[in-house]
Amino acid sequence: MEKYSQSEIQKIENSYSVLVSTLKQNMNEEQLDFIDKAYALTLEKYDGKRTMSGKPYMLHLIELAEIAVLEMGLRSKSVVAAFLHGIVYKADVTIDYIREMFGEPTVRIVDGFDKISS
């Protein structure tokens, strides 16, 4: 799989910065760090992955996180789950790793979303 181009990475980082600016209004530093950890993991694991339309998959994940916060009013664990949904099936990440890194509540959200999607 081809990696994201430098311009795509810049677009991803800009989109994520806008999301973080929005999140800062209602979340503390610990919650933002939690989200950053999920963003970093997905950026690493999905580097080069694209949606069917050809756009970087990371932009799709950022859009989902924005919907979770802005339209649904969800909090940090749900934003993390928006980034991590499907990662067990699409990358070399186990559910146990997600549990270890992000905790049981996040695993339940991710696992539930993945089961619904299946």
Side-chain angles (χ1 to χ4, degrees):
M1 179 179 354
E2 189 176 316
K3 303 261 186 211
Y4 293 138
S5 70
Q6 198 57 41
S7 64
E8 289 172 325
I9 290 171
Q10 187 63 48
K11 187 172 183 174
I12 292 165
E13 289 175 355
N14 289 343
S15 295
Y16 184 68
S17 291
V18 170
L19 173 65
V20 169
S21 294
T22 302
L23 297 176
K24 282 183 178 180
Q25 298 170 18
N26 298 310
M27 294 188 192
N28 63 38
E29 204 61 39
E30 183 179 338
Q31 291 168 312
L32 294 171
D33 289 345
F34 188 61
I35 293 165
D36 277 341
K37 187 165 63 168
Y39 169 76
L41 176 64
T42 54
L43 185 59
E44 173 192 339
K45 296 298 181 181
Y46 289 143
D47 190 9
K49 183 164 178 51
R50 300 183 181 284
T51 62
M52 292 180 106
S53 68
K55 81 176 181 180
Y57 190 69
M58 284 302 299
L59 292 175
H60 164 71
L61 295 177
I62 293 167
E63 290 168 1
L64 282 177
E66 288 172 342
I67 290 168
V69 172
L70 298 175
E71 294 181 24
M72 301 174 76
L74 300 176
R75 306 290 296 158
S76 60
K77 286 179 181 64
S78 297
V79 173
V80 167
F83 278 110
L84 297 178
H85 82 278
I87 199 165
V88 173
Y89 304 109
K90 296 175 184 162
D92 60 344
V93 176
T94 66
I95 201 78
D96 289 332
Y97 182 80
I98 294 172
R99 182 177 290 109
E100 178 184 320
M101 297 300 293
F102 299 98
E104 189 62 32
T106 303
V107 166
R108 284 194 303 258
I109 297 168
V110 169
D111 194 42
F113 183 87
D114 289 346
K115 284 178 182 173
I116 290 169
S117 296
S118 295

